[in-house]
Amino acid sequence: MYDLTVIIPTFKEESNIGAIIESVDAVFLHNRINGEILIVDDNSPDRTIERVRELQKSKPHLSLVVRTADPGLSQSVVEGFRRGQSDTLLVMDADLSHPPALIPVMLGEIREGNDIVIGSRYMQGGGIKKWPLKRRAISLGATFLGRLLFPEIHDPVSGFFALKKSVVASAPLKPKGYKILLEVLGKGSWQKAKEIPFEFVDRAAGSSKLGMRTIVEYAEQVTDNARFSWNHHESVVWQEWVKLFKFGAVGLSGIIVNEGVLIYLRGYAYVILPVASIIAIELSILSNFALNDSWTFRTGQQHALPHWWQRLFSFQVVSIGGAAINFVILNALALYAGVDYRIANILGILVAFAWNFWVNRRVTWKRL
């Protein structure tokens, strides 16, 4: 039994395979890790398989699985999940874009109690080197879609991650394309995830497999994860749907508070309309904050959030931004695009709602 299995999916990686195996092996030796290197190959037509078998003669902890059906990176990783001979699994690319030096750091975070540890390109301290603009734009778009499902994770489509084997032991994974981490996050059994920054370096040799088919498969994967959550309420994605519903319900209650206060101040207290309107808006914002803080985003770990007054200030600023968005869309569509003002107002409200939820989820109630 090993302490760690490093899973490396390969296809036509003849030029890189020797270097990545030697690099991982050196990290094992230097850090005294009893580790397994598991190469899962999609029946490469070059000398990738031959090179691995040559290295196996001097490395008893180097394993090889050759797949001859249903090719794909994600499928290979899932095969690695099944074949790995340890309770901790780590996935990395063969092209040297993921730094082996972080292997002991990720293993340490798993031992500290995290279920999943993600190498993140998009958090502070992370980055990407030598990527063309087109590929960078595609990656950012994919990350944005992934963060709609997992807003607390900066890089839910990273190919560099470690996890406890129990996370995927009974998960109904449907591997497809290149974004296997998204599948693990959506269908795996986990509670605690940790990200560590790293700088992604584009492959030095070989060619990228990114294409239009990859993009289509990713969109299908996001949809499948969302659909899966509706029948599996224990999933992290479903918990996000619940927060969205609660946030909407609180927003509706805010409309009632706003209208009720305005009617009282104007009709019974005879307060002038501008002042009454400002008071009604502010009380509805305070009401919304209190309900969202105690109900929508309550985690039982309020100490892990910014201080209450920081949350309140942030919520105020975001709410003002949402009102400005609603105002701009309403007037732009009604005055310049000829859209009926009632429809324009509804569109403005919907966009403002999306803004309010997204920013508050990522900023106001973001765990520290």
Side-chain angles (χ1 to χ4, degrees):
M1 190 71 170
Y2 294 100
D3 297 330
L4 173 69
T5 296
V6 174
I7 300 168
I8 305 176
T10 58
F11 182 67
K12 297 195 296 186
E13 294 288 356
E14 175 187 352
S15 55
N16 295 312
I17 193 62
I20 188 64
I21 289 174
E22 294 294 352
S23 296
V24 172
D25 203 27
V27 169
F28 284 173
L29 181 63
H30 181 72
N31 295 276
R32 298 181 180 179
I33 297 173
N34 177 27
E36 172 192 22
I37 303 174
L38 177 57
I39 307 299
V40 186
D41 187 82
D42 266 344
N43 201 23
S44 296
D46 62 1
R47 296 184 66 253
T48 301
I49 297 171
E50 184 179 338
R51 289 283 295 118
V52 175
R53 286 175 175 160
E54 289 172 357
L55 289 167
Q56 280 184 298
K57 296 174 184 177
S58 59
K59 300 181 186 298
H61 56 288
L62 174 60
S63 303
L64 171 66
V65 175
V66 179
R67 303 174 64 250
T68 57
D70 189 25
L73 183 143
S74 291
Q75 293 92 316
S76 294
V77 172
V78 171
E79 183 71 22
F81 291 161
R82 289 193 289 263
R83 299 289 192 103
Q85 300 180 63
S86 72
D87 292 330
T88 302
L89 310 170
L90 186 147
V91 179
M92 65 189 308
D93 287 350
D95 59 11
L96 304 172
S97 57
H98 300 147
L102 286 181
I103 289 174
V105 178
M106 299 175 86
L107 176 59
E109 292 291 350
I110 291 291
R111 287 172 171 170
E112 287 294 318
N114 294 290
D115 299 307
I116 302 175
V117 179
I118 301 167
S120 176
R121 300 161 294 178
Y122 297 117
M123 67 183 298
Q124 186 175 1
I128 298 174
K129 277 186 176 180
K130 299 179 181 178
W131 252 14
L133 180 60
K134 178 181 178 182
R135 191 175 179 192
R136 190 182 295 268
I138 291 173
S139 177
L140 287 172
T143 302
F144 173 77
L145 285 178
R147 293 198 68 179
L148 292 177
L149 301 179
F150 309 103
E152 290 190 350
I153 295 178
H154 295 84
D155 198 351
V157 295
S158 175
F160 186 32
F161 61 94
L163 71 162
K164 295 177 180 177
K165 198 170 188 177
S166 57
V167 171
V168 294
S170 59
L173 302 178
K174 293 182 180 178
K176 182 183 295 186
Y178 287 77
K179 307 304 181 185
I180 183 60
L181 176 58
L182 193 77
E183 189 81 357
V184 170
L185 291 172
K187 299 178 181 178
S189 177
W190 63 279
Q191 291 297 322
K192 191 175 180 182
K194 175 72 177 287
E195 289 184 274
I196 58 174
F198 84 101
E199 193 166 48
F200 181 95
V201 180
D202 202 9
R203 59 169 52 240
S207 59
S208 172
K209 284 82 175 178
L210 180 66
M212 182 56 66
R213 180 181 176 183
T214 304
I215 298 171
V216 173
E217 287 176 340
Y218 176 70
E220 292 174 350
Q221 190 177 26
V222 171
T223 303
D224 182 63
N225 269 277
R227 185 167 52 244
F228 175 86
S229 70
W230 286 89
N231 297 316
H232 297 81
H233 294 178
E234 75 284 357
S235 70
V236 174
V237 177
W238 175 256
Q239 294 170 24
E240 289 305 316
W241 287 117
V242 171
K243 288 185 177 70
L244 181 63
F245 172 80
K246 288 181 175 180
F247 193 83
V250 169
L252 291 176
S253 75
I255 294 175
I256 296 173
V257 171
N258 189 322
E259 188 73 5
V261 171
L262 183 64
I263 290 173
Y264 172 78
L265 292 176
R266 188 76 184 98
Y268 297 93
Y270 305 106
V271 177
I272 60 174
L273 183 59
V275 175
S277 176
I278 291 173
I279 294 174
I281 290 172
E282 180 58 26
L283 287 178
S284 69
I285 289 175
L286 292 174
S287 171
N288 284 359
F289 171 78
L291 288 174
N292 280 318
D293 200 54
S294 61
W295 184 48
T296 306
F297 297 108
R298 179 137 188 111
T299 63
Q301 299 179 347
Q302 300 301 88
H303 63 278
L305 298 173
H307 196 275
W308 73 266
W309 63 266
Q310 293 175 309
R311 301 198 296 271
L312 176 58
F313 177 77
S314 175
F315 187 78
Q316 288 269 8
V317 173
V318 173
S319 297
I320 292 171
I325 289 171
N326 190 1
F327 177 83
V328 169
I329 291 177
L330 166 62
N331 285 274
L333 292 179
L335 299 179
Y336 301 106
V339 178
D340 184 280
Y341 74 92
R342 290 164 293 190
I343 296 176
N345 190 42
I346 291 174
L347 292 174
I349 290 172
L350 290 175
V351 174
F353 173 80
W355 155 270
N356 287 339
F357 178 78
W358 177 249
V359 179
N360 279 311
R361 182 69 181 87
R362 292 184 57 187
V363 178
T364 307
W365 283 281
K366 178 180 174 60
R367 294 185 187 181
L368 298 174

